Amino acid sequence: MRVQVISNASEAHQGKFIGKTAIVIDVFRSSSSIVSALASGATCVIPVETVMDAKLIYREHDLLGGERFCKRISGFHYGNSPMEYRSSQLQDRRVILTTTNGTRAIHRSKRASNIYIASLNNAKACANAALQSDNDLVILCAGSHDQFTLEDGLCAGYILSYLLENTATTDQIVHIDDFGKALLALYEHNKNNISHVISQGISGTRLQELNMSADIEDCARLNVYDIVPVYLNGVVVVLTDCEEMGS
């Protein structure tokens, strides 16, 4: 397996994804919110790039979620805090989501054979799904405003560490690009202090300025969910055994 890591959504050229598995990461906070919504029983999450797109496909019984510059969009039911999406109100409902970086990153990876959505909350499950796909892997860190972010890099580093650990005694060889090796080292050096490290990055600092420190702690929880959100036919749903076998 060859693994390439992309630092932010603006660097995600579609040709890099063809025939490969993609893992899209936006720890603060789109990926974390998608995982929470699906774990809470939402039928699917529909990621769209603009507020207008969200309003155009909205229909009765749907929930609108999203943010711009970390703040909830006016008139939407939810913002982009994963804690908002842990509610019985989501059961059997569609969530239409638009965010500054995360939903854009998902759309940038559309030409991949498989697209999984990872956060620190479900990183192990996504790493296992990538191992089972038998494809080369592209890990796309959504970043923030066309810049790399620490929290996405640490999540990518964890996934790389897990891939190496779980192929060490097999015939499968994992070849990681140089940027990926740097993120692997970042994770190994900080794996016992994840919450503090991600709070010091540009996104973490911004959330603290907006009195959203609780989201930092929530998004820093490692492997609290064992689900893999997969982007299929324009919507994100929970990966099933049937879909996994067909990938």
Side-chain angles (χ1 to χ4, degrees):
M1 174 191 288
R2 295 190 176 277
V3 184
Q4 178 184 13
V5 185
I6 301 175
S7 65
N8 64 81
S10 67
E11 299 295 324
H13 307 297
Q14 292 191 4
K16 296 179 179 180
F17 295 91
I18 297 172
K20 299 176 183 177
T21 291
I23 294 179
V24 178
I25 301 171
D26 185 15
V27 171
F28 288 157
R29 295 165 288 164
S30 181
S31 295
S32 303
S33 293
I34 288 171
V35 173
S36 287
L38 293 175
S40 296
T43 57
C44 67
V45 177
I46 306 174
V48 297
E49 295 197 62
T50 70
V51 174
M52 182 63 71
D53 289 338
K55 291 179 177 179
L56 282 173
I57 65 174
Y58 172 80
R59 60 179 187 246
E60 188 178 1
H61 198 62
D62 289 343
L63 295 168
L64 289 169
E67 56 74 35
R68 288 297 182 268
F69 305 104
C70 296
K71 297 181 180 179
R72 181 190 298 188
I73 297 166
S74 177
F76 277 36
H77 301 94
Y78 298 113
N80 195 28
S81 168
M83 291 183 287
E84 293 181 87
Y85 293 90
R86 287 198 289 276
S87 166
S88 60
Q89 298 297 315
L90 276 76
Q91 185 69 42
D92 298 325
R93 300 176 77 173
R94 303 193 314 169
V95 176
I96 304 168
L97 182 69
T98 178
T99 68
T100 308
N101 305 292
T103 53
R104 181 166 64 105
I106 294 171
H107 282 268
R108 289 290 183 96
S109 63
K110 276 184 175 181
R111 299 191 71 180
S113 296
N114 310 289
I115 304 170
Y116 305 136
I117 314 300
S119 65
L120 287 165
N121 295 167
N122 72 324
K124 178 180 176 180
C126 288
N128 276 323
L131 282 173
Q132 294 174 32
S133 73
D134 292 327
N135 294 331
D136 287 339
L137 175 64
V138 178
I139 300 176
L140 172 55
C141 300
S144 178
H145 303 288
D146 299 334
Q147 297 182 59
F148 168 74
T149 57
L150 274 178
E151 66 277 4
D152 292 349
L154 276 169
C155 184
Y158 169 83
I159 291 171
L160 293 169
S161 176
Y162 187 87
L163 293 177
L164 290 173
E165 181 180 346
N166 285 271
T167 55
T169 58
T170 70
D171 294 332
Q172 191 170 13
I173 300 174
V174 179
H175 300 277
I176 302 171
D177 69 359
D178 283 357
F179 183 55
K181 289 175 181 175
L183 297 184
L184 177 62
L186 174 71
Y187 167 73
E188 294 293 350
H189 185 69
N190 295 286
K191 61 185 177 182
N192 296 319
N193 205 20
I194 290 175
S195 179
H196 174 72
V197 173
I198 65 178
S199 73
Q200 302 305 301
I202 54 174
S203 299
T205 300
R206 174 67 172 158
L207 289 175
Q208 291 178 79
E209 291 171 348
L210 293 170
N211 297 316
M212 296 179 179
S213 296
D215 274 0
I216 297 173
E217 296 296 327
D218 195 78
C219 293
R221 298 179 304 148
L222 191 61
N223 298 326
V224 292
Y225 295 110
D226 190 29
I227 65 171
V228 180
V230 56
Y231 183 76
L232 291 170
N233 301 318
V235 303
V236 180
V237 296
V238 176
L239 182 70
T240 65
D241 291 339
C242 179
E243 288 160 352
E244 194 167 347
M245 290 171 62
S247 65

